[in-house]
Amino acid sequence: MRSTSVGVFKVATKGPGDVSGLISLIVSGAIDPAAILAILGKTEGNGGVNDFTREYAVAALCTALAPKLGLTPHEVEQRIAFVMSGGTEGVLSPHITVFTRAEIRSPPGISGKRLSIGMAQTRDFLPEELGRSAQIAETAKAVKAAMADAGISDPADVHFVQIKCPLLTSERVEAAAARGNKTATTSSYSSMAYSRGASALGVAVALGEVTSDIRDEDVLRRHDLFSKVASTSSGIELMHNVVIVLGNSDTSASAFEIGHAVMNDAIDAPAVVSALQSVGLEVAPQAKAGRELVNIFAKAEASPDGSVRGFRHTMLEDTDISSTRHARAAVGGLIAGLAGTGMVYVSGGAEHQGPAGGGPVAAIARLF
Amino acid sequence: MRSTSVGVFKVATKGPGDVSGLISLIVSGAIDPAAILAILGKTEGNGGVNDFTREYAVAALCTALAPKLGLTPHEVEQRIAFVMSGGTEGVLSPHITVFTRAEIRSPPGISGKRLSIGMAQTRDFLPEELGRSAQIAETAKAVKAAMADAGISDPADVHFVQIKCPLLTSERVEAAAARGNKTATTSSYSSMAYSRGASALGVAVALGEVTSDIRDEDVLRRHDLFSKVASTSSGIELMHNVVIVLGNSDTSASAFEIGHAVMNDAIDAPAVVSALQSVGLEVAPQAKAGRELVNIFAKAEASPDGSVRGFRHTMLEDTDISSTRHARAAVGGLIAGLAGTGMVYVSGGAEHQGPAGGGPVAAIARLF
Amino acid sequence: MRSTSVGVFKVATKGPGDVSGLISLIVSGAIDPAAILAILGKTEGNGGVNDFTREYAVAALCTALAPKLGLTPHEVEQRIAFVMSGGTEGVLSPHITVFTRAEIRSPPGISGKRLSIGMAQTRDFLPEELGRSAQIAETAKAVKAAMADAGISDPADVHFVQIKCPLLTSERVEAAAARGNKTATTSSYSSMAYSRGASALGVAVALGEVTSDIRDEDVLRRHDLFSKVASTSSGIELMHNVVIVLGNSDTSASAFEIGHAVMNDAIDAPAVVSALQSVGLEVAPQAKAGRELVNIFAKAEASPDGSVRGFRHTMLEDTDISSTRHARAAVGGLIAGLAGTGMVYVSGGAEHQGPAGGGPVAAIARLF
Amino acid sequence: MRSTSVGVFKVATKGPGDVSGLISLIVSGAIDPAAILAILGKTEGNGGVNDFTREYAVAALCTALAPKLGLTPHEVEQRIAFVMSGGTEGVLSPHITVFTRAEIRSPPGISGKRLSIGMAQTRDFLPEELGRSAQIAETAKAVKAAMADAGISDPADVHFVQIKCPLLTSERVEAAAARGNKTATTSSYSSMAYSRGASALGVAVALGEVTSDIRDEDVLRRHDLFSKVASTSSGIELMHNVVIVLGNSDTSASAFEIGHAVMNDAIDAPAVVSALQSVGLEVAPQAKAGRELVNIFAKAEASPDGSVRGFRHTMLEDTDISSTRHARAAVGGLIAGLAGTGMVYVSGGAEHQGPAGGGPVAAIARLF
């Protein structure tokens, strides 16, 4: 019995502070603001430490949605999961993807599994737990809870798991030290990678992609351990993990389907094609009737060994441009070429998210 | 009667000053230094005004080749056409492509047109002629001379025309002013675009792609006027144009073939596929026996209207990274994905080289 | 008879969205929000086209001040003059300077002229008027009105004139064309310089620093025409000029004094010392009792001839870092060294604001 | 008895490959190429990992000097100590400083200690010795040898010690691992800081600035341990340390004097003044007759605690521009302002070279 309706809306933005597109959809009745569960965005900052376009975008969205929801901006930020990924290098085009979910009574007569979305949170972590087995285990539990929330029981039906996770600050490192404990790293920047990596491994454990006996020392070292559907990003504003599971479920009456593939390296065109085909699409221009691409979600990184298929790349030695910017630009160019649009979600920093130098790529199609 | 042998050697470099790969090929006898006609390279600088990796690479190559040719480094630079394109953003991999040509007596029994290369030069230009009809007309003449040098009579057999052209310096602008003449621009940086654009239009005139009555005011303004095979880059070291024509000819006994297509925008994947197919290749991994990809040569640029297929890009507003770096990274990612290698020649700045936002893409295959 | 009280508050910010320092001063009663006239800030973006920290800071300030003033955020933006300068390169430290003004009844018994602030606006400009004599003449009128508002009659008492001015967009250029008129330039980026330059010349005319017969073709060309106290910045959000005059007046009962000097080039240390001395201060550490430095306001630019005192600089040829970032870092380092603090206002883009390669430098001291 | 003549020549360069100024001085007889001991240069790259202007400058100098010395370019590189510091941010001006030394028979009648230069080398290090006590101890020995070579016995006469030191590569790390030993770090980039830091501590030990019982774990951690005269830079081309000691000696008949001070932070103007005064000079413009500034040598860094004199800086959080570029620009601006010229040597990366956030500053004056 289908009981859930899930919507996906891709909205172009004219700048990080632009909320006009979303508000228009709310005003027109296309989006019920109370149904908004999560917003994933690409903003046009550098994607690095001093990328303020992410928090600016979240602040603008919370301020704009507050009167629509009868909440304060701060309460909006607590209610909706905002994941902003900075960096629209090359042909990537700034936009947000809005996910809605609502209960329905009279489901339409549709067949097959459809897009479903579920969310869950871990408990707050101690600083010394970040990037270690505690974070892995708790994340795995939350992934299972989010799957249940999405009405998904089979791990094979999970196609993209977006996670927001904490990072270390000097205050947090000192708090651990005051308890006599050492953190995985003392660097804020490095802690982002540890937290992303452990969170991704939590997904891998939950979905049975790896065995659950991962040791602390495997994090950021055992590149052979990874999830094919995890996409994680760390932020300073929380001390727990927020897990968003996207998959297909027969409890959903959504007009959308999701599928995925794994890029083995940054130039893995066949994987992108495979992700498109997994939701019944082809390489652009689309030939199939009755289906259209909504968005592609992918993670990109510069391969840590300094080469792609045996050929040296220069991303890791460039002191002018960070490697994450290079990687997003290149992978974004490839995906945009195959998808026929630069308005896709390509995010950087892919520790334990797909194989080293590669990453997961998911696609959502609308059926009509 | 086939009388010419043309060779193409793609050589990886470990840095802009690395000549070891080329020297090894000379020492092993694979390359006769006296047969080297032109070297096109991708170096790992920023591709901008202060990219010194280009002149460093040329200096290192001239110094290394001088004893092999019994010439001074300066004489080597006069003899061989060096075209270094800075910028290996994303997955692009630094390398040089060495073109050789030699007369042969006993041609092998081969059929069909094969890769041919021809060179020619214009007279020196006055500063006030750059970016204007004089440069267009003289370049057109030189393209025809280079075609004759390559043994090509049909413009349809020309697939890539690489041109080195001058730029304006403040001294050159003043010299023109002292004669009472105004130059097309007083900015060195802008003059590079004018010179590239007029040179590309010269190719278009020579090949009949446009009518010959192009006015001075059309340069950099009439985006509808362009060549589908021109690739031009300006440098401070010369006051004339050096033209290198690459095409197919039945006078060539080369083991290589060249073909091309035109990218209509920066995400035109079908054009890249078409370029590969034009020399009997497929998308990576190659399925066809008897043929292998040697290199792809393409020009990339941020579309001047600020969007790609209707979606806003941010390349032209980025004060941190120049738009040419963005464009190379994105187009390089797409071509590398389809070709299966990042060791391809993708160069920025495509005025009148393909349509606005797009550019020519040529492929060379080796037959065996 | 002294009738005005002017306050200056320098407040550190922890990020572009941080308003906590200002709100604390309001909550503690130190600042009456209704008295705020203008806020000048240094935000930590790149200071270029895609610097969103400026609009983010203004949005955050307006949202935070709205409930304090009983206005909407939009009304706050109309009421208070916000001037955000992006770029805190090197030792520059992000902060805002809040200027307040209030009428007083019982002036304290103080002697000498004290800090005064006045504001005025021009009418809206037509796009074709920007960067030309109309903008110069109207700005000159507004400067005189702002002087009157500040209670200043002698131009020698004016020490810093901050102006916000419009820029051209493609829509505005087209609107002019539809009327059969050409704008000074068709490039948005270039129009910023034209508008800044004409606005600065308007200051120069108003203060008698140049004669009033400046021709359109002098803008951005006659480097010998400049104001020693103008500081102008252009923004997309307005079509008129907002003029803030800072000077000394005997109508003011302020605890502050302002003075200025002119840097003849980017390394003009004596000018910075002179600006400090003009308000009774010395080079750091301050030796004089009864006076302390509040802030320094300066404009910086890379000298357009490519050299500083005969020695080549590389700011204008750097494709990785824009010249305005270089200039702010260098001039900021010098001023911070002499002032003893990096929390100073150094802004880039100094067309007709001081001599070529130099710029105005003003200092405000508090007397106690 | 004075037996040594030391010369110092500061030569502007038009680009990293420009050797024309030096060659002119050799051709004119002003410089005897056989007397060249060391060349310190500022080149206009980014000063980071992919700054090829350093090796390009060295290659150009070796190629140009080879015929003058009757050596191969490689032999020139072995004979003369080349230290190229990348990064001429802000007002810094590209140049080289050439140090010559020759024996003399009939010394002029001069009084006081004069500029002397001495060189020495350590043995080759094992990779696992870098950044640790072995490198410290061996460097200390070499500093003493270089002092002896310079005819200096009193550590107080040493004013600048420039060191070139090795770094780790993955091959070197693996070689250590194959012997069962761990290196101080496995990252090439980090190893540069370790090697610079240990080398600076070696100077501190040799000059008695710290006690000799420094432990491995103090390197890069005990910011209170530092040398006031060390300036170290690491390069891939060597496995030993090259030590250049600059000081004053009564064995020298040089026309030059050297002195130094220590900047306690990046805005320590009084320290720069003190360095100038230590060689009898004043702040620009120079008032004293008979003496002129030749060059200033300084190290700069972003203070690791994120603030300068209590005010937050943003250098360490900037993902667009590396902190070393920010620091050079700011400190270069300050020094240039006080010295009256941007043609000064300001280098980045100051581990254990002066206090945290500060660095040594030395000045050389010519007496006439």
Side-chain angles (χ1 to χ4, degrees):
Chain A
M1 175 67 180
R2 299 181 191 267
S3 58
T4 311
S5 167
V6 171
V8 189
F9 302 84
K10 188 165 76 169
V11 186
T13 53
K14 293 170 199 146
D18 175 33
V19 297
S20 60
L22 174 57
I23 296 305
S24 291
L25 287 171
I26 290 174
V27 169
S28 75
I31 291 182
D32 171 9
I36 299 175
L37 206 66
I39 299 181
L40 270 66
K42 285 300 307 175
T43 62
E44 55 204 281
N46 61 26
V49 178
N50 65 329
D51 182 350
F52 299 102
T53 62
R54 294 175 300 213
E55 65 175 72
Y56 180 23
V58 172
L61 287 167
C62 290
T63 300
L65 288 171
K68 306 291 183 188
L69 289 166
L71 300 172
T72 67
H74 181 70
E75 288 166 342
V76 175
E77 194 165 356
Q78 300 302 309
R79 174 192 174 112
I80 297 174
F82 294 95
V83 181
M84 294 294 147
S85 163
T88 55
E89 293 81 6
V91 295
L92 293 174
S93 187
H95 71 281
I96 55 172
T97 306
V98 182
F99 291 92
T100 61
R101 187 174 72 175
E103 300 303 300
I104 51 169
R105 294 217 182 149
S106 313
I110 56 175
S111 63
K113 293 176 178 173
R114 293 299 178 88
L115 178 67
S116 187
I117 181 168
M119 284 176 58
Q121 304 192 354
T122 67
R123 64 167 169 80
D124 275 9
F125 294 113
L126 291 170
E128 54 267 42
E129 291 178 325
L130 291 184
R132 289 175 173 158
S133 47
Q135 192 179 18
I136 298 173
E138 292 297 317
T139 302
K141 272 200 276 181
V143 170
K144 286 176 180 169
M147 283 173 65
D149 185 48
I152 298 175
S153 53
D154 185 350
D157 284 329
V158 175
H159 293 285
F160 201 68
V161 181
Q162 178 66 47
I163 291 182
K164 281 184 79 175
C165 52
L167 52 81
L168 291 174
T169 61
S170 38
E171 295 77 32
R172 294 170 184 173
V173 171
E174 283 162 25
R179 282 188 299 272
N181 294 328
K182 287 184 70 170
T183 51
T185 174
T186 58
S187 151
S188 289
Y189 189 79
S190 296
S191 76
M192 298 172 77
Y194 273 99
S195 184
R196 284 194 300 256
S199 299
L201 288 170
V203 178
V205 167
L207 301 182
E209 299 177 286
V210 301
T211 58
S212 59
D213 56 344
I214 300 174
R215 298 165 306 166
D216 287 357
E217 55 264 41
D218 295 337
V219 179
L220 300 191
R221 284 186 195 82
R222 288 276 305 275
H223 293 311
D224 58 312
L225 304 176
F226 58 85
S227 168
K228 293 180 174 176
V229 295
S231 167
T232 65
S233 66
S234 55
I236 200 171
E237 69 275 20
L238 72 181
M239 271 310 287
H240 62 284
N241 276 18
V242 177
V243 176
I244 306 169
V245 162
L246 291 169
N248 295 319
S249 166
D250 49 21
T251 65
S252 168
S254 172
F256 303 88
E257 270 185 24
I258 187 170
H260 83 280
V262 180
M263 295 178 73
N264 279 309
D265 57 29
I267 60 173
D268 191 354
V272 181
V273 176
S274 174
L276 287 166
Q277 291 173 338
S278 73
V279 288
L281 298 171
E282 296 295 332
V283 163
Q286 295 296 324
K288 293 251 182 101
R291 284 175 180 261
E292 69 179 9
L293 177 67
V294 177
N295 208 347
I296 288 184
F297 299 87
K299 291 289 281 191
E301 70 176 1
S303 63
D305 71 353
S307 68
V308 177
R309 275 185 225 175
F311 296 110
R312 179 170 76 98
H313 67 73
T314 60
M315 297 186 257
L316 296 171
E317 282 82 38
D318 192 339
T319 302
D320 299 310
I321 301 179
S322 69
S323 66
T324 52
R325 303 202 76 177
H326 278 289
R328 278 190 298 267
V331 173
L334 175 58
I335 292 179
L338 297 174
T341 172
M343 198 177 279
V344 291
Y345 180 98
V346 178
S347 174
E351 302 85 357
H352 300 294
Q353 300 149 66
V361 52
I364 294 180
R366 190 170 77 87
L367 285 62
F368 56 91
Chain B
M1 174 67 183
R2 298 182 191 269
S3 56
T4 310
S5 168
V6 170
V8 189
F9 303 84
K10 188 166 76 168
V11 186
T13 54
K14 293 170 200 145
D18 176 34
V19 298
S20 61
L22 173 57
I23 298 304
S24 291
L25 287 171
I26 291 174
V27 169
S28 74
I31 292 181
D32 172 10
I36 299 174
L37 206 65
I39 299 181
L40 270 65
K42 283 301 306 176
T43 62
E44 56 202 280
N46 60 26
V49 178
N50 64 328
D51 182 350
F52 299 102
T53 62
R54 294 175 300 213
E55 65 174 72
Y56 180 24
V58 172
L61 286 167
C62 291
T63 300
L65 288 172
K68 307 291 183 189
L69 290 165
L71 300 172
T72 67
H74 182 70
E75 288 165 342
V76 175
E77 194 166 354
Q78 300 303 309
R79 174 193 173 111
I80 297 173
F82 294 94
V83 181
M84 294 294 148
S85 163
T88 56
E89 294 80 6
V91 296
L92 294 173
S93 188
H95 71 281
I96 55 172
T97 305
V98 182
F99 292 91
T100 61
R101 187 174 71 176
E103 300 302 300
I104 51 170
R105 294 217 185 148
S106 313
I110 56 174
S111 64
K113 293 176 178 174
R114 293 299 178 89
L115 178 67
S116 187
I117 182 169
M119 284 176 59
Q121 304 192 354
T122 67
R123 63 168 169 81
D124 275 10
F125 294 114
L126 291 170
E128 54 267 44
E129 291 178 325
L130 291 183
R132 290 176 172 155
S133 47
Q135 192 179 18
I136 298 172
E138 292 298 317
T139 302
K141 275 199 274 181
V143 170
K144 286 177 180 168
M147 283 174 66
D149 184 47
I152 297 175
S153 53
D154 185 351
D157 284 328
V158 175
H159 293 286
F160 201 68
V161 181
Q162 178 66 49
I163 291 181
K164 281 184 80 176
C165 52
L167 53 81
L168 291 174
T169 61
S170 39
E171 294 78 31
R172 293 170 185 174
V173 171
E174 283 162 27
R179 281 188 299 274
N181 295 328
K182 288 185 71 169
T183 50
T185 175
T186 59
S187 149
S188 289
Y189 189 78
S190 296
S191 77
M192 298 172 77
Y194 273 99
S195 185
R196 285 194 300 256
S199 298
L201 288 170
V203 178
V205 167
L207 301 182
E209 298 177 285
V210 300
T211 57
S212 58
D213 56 344
I214 300 173
R215 298 164 307 163
D216 288 358
E217 55 265 41
D218 296 337
V219 179
L220 300 191
R221 283 186 196 83
R222 287 277 307 274
H223 293 311
D224 59 312
L225 304 177
F226 58 84
S227 168
K228 294 181 174 176
V229 295
S231 168
T232 65
S233 66
S234 56
I236 201 171
E237 69 275 20
L238 71 181
M239 270 311 286
H240 62 284
N241 276 18
V242 177
V243 175
I244 307 169
V245 162
L246 291 169
N248 295 319
S249 166
D250 48 22
T251 65
S252 168
S254 172
F256 303 87
E257 271 185 22
I258 186 168
H260 83 280
V262 180
M263 295 178 73
N264 279 309
D265 57 29
I267 61 173
D268 190 355
V272 180
V273 175
S274 175
L276 287 166
Q277 291 173 337
S278 73
V279 288
L281 297 171
E282 296 294 334
V283 164
Q286 296 295 325
K288 294 252 182 98
R291 284 175 180 261
E292 69 179 10
L293 177 66
V294 178
N295 208 347
I296 289 185
F297 300 85
K299 291 289 280 190
E301 71 175 0
S303 63
D305 71 353
S307 68
V308 177
R309 274 185 227 176
F311 296 110
R312 180 170 75 99
H313 67 74
T314 61
M315 298 187 256
L316 295 172
E317 282 81 38
D318 193 338
T319 302
D320 299 311
I321 301 180
S322 70
S323 65
T324 52
R325 303 202 75 177
H326 278 289
R328 278 190 298 266
V331 173
L334 174 59
I335 292 179
L338 296 174
T341 172
M343 199 177 278
V344 290
Y345 180 98
V346 178
S347 174
E351 301 85 358
H352 299 294
Q353 301 151 64
V361 52
I364 295 180
R366 190 170 78 87
L367 285 61
F368 56 92
Chain C
M1 176 65 182
R2 297 182 192 267
S3 57
T4 310
S5 168
V6 170
V8 189
F9 302 84
K10 188 166 75 168
V11 186
T13 53
K14 294 170 199 144
D18 176 33
V19 297
S20 60
L22 173 58
I23 297 303
S24 291
L25 287 171
I26 290 174
V27 169
S28 75
I31 291 182
D32 171 9
I36 299 174
L37 207 65
I39 299 182
L40 271 65
K42 284 299 308 176
T43 61
E44 55 203 282
N46 60 27
V49 178
N50 64 330
D51 182 350
F52 299 102
T53 63
R54 295 175 299 214
E55 64 174 73
Y56 180 24
V58 172
L61 287 166
C62 289
T63 299
L65 287 172
K68 306 292 182 188
L69 289 166
L71 300 173
T72 67
H74 181 69
E75 288 166 343
V76 175
E77 194 165 356
Q78 300 303 309
R79 175 192 173 112
I80 297 174
F82 294 94
V83 181
M84 294 294 147
S85 163
T88 56
E89 293 80 8
V91 296
L92 294 174
S93 188
H95 71 281
I96 55 173
T97 305
V98 182
F99 292 92
T100 60
R101 187 174 72 175
E103 300 302 300
I104 52 169
R105 294 219 184 147
S106 313
I110 56 176
S111 64
K113 292 176 178 173
R114 293 298 178 90
L115 178 67
S116 187
I117 182 169
M119 284 177 57
Q121 304 192 354
T122 67
R123 63 166 169 81
D124 276 9
F125 294 113
L126 291 171
E128 54 267 44
E129 292 178 324
L130 291 183
R132 290 177 171 153
S133 46
Q135 192 179 19
I136 298 173
E138 292 297 317
T139 302
K141 274 199 275 181
V143 170
K144 287 177 180 169
M147 284 174 64
D149 184 47
I152 298 174
S153 53
D154 185 351
D157 284 329
V158 175
H159 294 285
F160 201 68
V161 182
Q162 178 67 47
I163 291 181
K164 281 183 80 176
C165 52
L167 52 81
L168 291 174
T169 60
S170 39
E171 293 77 32
R172 293 169 185 174
V173 171
E174 283 161 25
R179 280 188 299 274
N181 294 329
K182 287 184 72 170
T183 51
T185 173
T186 59
S187 149
S188 289
Y189 189 79
S190 296
S191 77
M192 298 172 76
Y194 272 99
S195 185
R196 285 193 302 256
S199 298
L201 288 170
V203 179
V205 167
L207 302 181
E209 299 178 285
V210 300
T211 57
S212 59
D213 56 344
I214 299 173
R215 296 165 307 164
D216 289 356
E217 56 264 40
D218 295 338
V219 179
L220 301 191
R221 284 187 195 82
R222 286 277 306 275
H223 293 311
D224 59 311
L225 304 176
F226 57 85
S227 168
K228 294 181 174 176
V229 294
S231 168
T232 65
S233 66
S234 55
I236 200 171
E237 69 275 20
L238 71 181
M239 270 310 287
H240 61 284
N241 276 18
V242 178
V243 176
I244 307 169
V245 161
L246 291 169
N248 296 319
S249 166
D250 49 22
T251 65
S252 168
S254 173
F256 303 87
E257 270 185 23
I258 188 169
H260 84 280
V262 180
M263 296 179 72
N264 280 309
D265 57 28
I267 61 174
D268 190 355
V272 180
V273 176
S274 175
L276 287 166
Q277 291 173 337
S278 73
V279 288
L281 298 171
E282 295 295 333
V283 164
Q286 296 294 325
K288 294 252 183 98
R291 285 176 179 260
E292 69 180 10
L293 177 66
V294 178
N295 209 346
I296 290 185
F297 300 85
K299 290 290 280 190
E301 70 175 2
S303 63
D305 72 352
S307 69
V308 177
R309 272 184 228 178
F311 296 110
R312 180 171 74 99
H313 68 73
T314 61
M315 297 187 258
L316 295 172
E317 281 83 37
D318 193 338
T319 302
D320 298 312
I321 301 179
S322 70
S323 65
T324 53
R325 305 202 75 175
H326 278 289
R328 279 190 298 266
V331 173
L334 175 60
I335 291 178
L338 297 174
T341 172
M343 199 178 278
V344 292
Y345 180 98
V346 178
S347 175
E351 301 86 356
H352 300 294
Q353 300 150 65
V361 52
I364 295 179
R366 191 170 76 88
L367 284 62
F368 55 92
Chain D
M1 174 68 180
R2 298 180 192 267
S3 57
T4 311
S5 168
V6 170
V8 189
F9 302 84
K10 188 165 76 169
V11 186
T13 53
K14 293 171 199 143
D18 176 33
V19 297
S20 61
L22 174 57
I23 296 304
S24 291
L25 288 170
I26 291 174
V27 168
S28 74
I31 292 182
D32 172 9
I36 299 173
L37 208 64
I39 299 181
L40 271 65
K42 284 299 309 175
T43 61
E44 56 204 280
N46 62 26
V49 178
N50 64 329
D51 182 349
F52 300 101
T53 63
R54 295 175 300 217
E55 64 174 72
Y56 179 24
V58 172
L61 287 166
C62 290
T63 300
L65 288 171
K68 307 292 183 188
L69 290 165
L71 299 173
T72 67
H74 182 70
E75 288 166 343
V76 175
E77 194 165 356
Q78 300 302 310
R79 176 194 173 111
I80 297 173
F82 293 95
V83 181
M84 294 295 148
S85 164
T88 56
E89 292 82 7
V91 297
L92 293 173
S93 187
H95 70 281
I96 55 172
T97 306
V98 182
F99 293 92
T100 61
R101 187 174 72 176
E103 299 303 299
I104 52 169
R105 295 220 182 145
S106 314
I110 56 176
S111 63
K113 293 176 178 173
R114 293 299 177 90
L115 177 67
S116 188
I117 182 169
M119 283 176 59
Q121 304 192 354
T122 67
R123 64 166 169 81
D124 276 9
F125 295 113
L126 291 171
E128 53 267 43
E129 292 178 325
L130 291 183
R132 289 175 172 154
S133 47
Q135 192 179 18
I136 298 173
E138 292 296 317
T139 302
K141 274 200 275 180
V143 170
K144 286 178 180 167
M147 284 174 64
D149 184 47
I152 298 175
S153 52
D154 185 351
D157 284 329
V158 175
H159 294 285
F160 200 69
V161 182
Q162 178 67 46
I163 291 182
K164 280 183 81 175
C165 52
L167 53 81
L168 290 174
T169 60
S170 39
E171 294 77 32
R172 292 169 186 175
V173 172
E174 283 162 26
R179 281 187 301 274
N181 295 328
K182 286 184 72 171
T183 51
T185 173
T186 59
S187 149
S188 290
Y189 189 79
S190 297
S191 77
M192 298 172 76
Y194 273 99
S195 185
R196 285 194 300 256
S199 299
L201 289 170
V203 178
V205 167
L207 301 182
E209 299 177 285
V210 300
T211 58
S212 60
D213 56 346
I214 300 173
R215 298 164 307 164
D216 288 357
E217 55 264 41
D218 296 338
V219 179
L220 300 191
R221 283 185 196 82
R222 289 276 307 274
H223 292 312
D224 59 311
L225 304 176
F226 59 84
S227 169
K228 294 180 174 177
V229 295
S231 167
T232 65
S233 66
S234 55
I236 201 171
E237 69 275 19
L238 72 180
M239 271 310 288
H240 62 282
N241 276 17
V242 177
V243 176
I244 307 169
V245 162
L246 291 169
N248 294 320
S249 166
D250 49 21
T251 66
S252 168
S254 173
F256 303 88
E257 270 185 24
I258 187 169
H260 83 280
V262 180
M263 295 178 72
N264 280 310
D265 57 28
I267 61 173
D268 191 355
V272 180
V273 176
S274 175
L276 287 166
Q277 291 173 337
S278 73
V279 288
L281 298 171
E282 296 295 334
V283 164
Q286 296 294 325
K288 296 251 182 99
R291 285 176 180 259
E292 68 179 10
L293 177 66
V294 178
N295 209 345
I296 289 185
F297 299 86
K299 290 289 280 192
E301 70 176 1
S303 63
D305 72 353
S307 68
V308 178
R309 275 184 226 178
F311 295 110
R312 179 169 76 98
H313 68 72
T314 60
M315 297 187 257
L316 296 172
E317 282 82 38
D318 192 341
T319 302
D320 298 311
I321 301 179
S322 70
S323 65
T324 53
R325 304 202 75 176
H326 278 290
R328 279 190 298 267
V331 173
L334 175 59
I335 293 179
L338 297 173
T341 172
M343 199 178 277
V344 292
Y345 180 98
V346 178
S347 175
E351 302 85 358
H352 299 292
Q353 300 150 65
V361 52
I364 295 180
R366 190 170 77 89
L367 286 61
F368 56 93

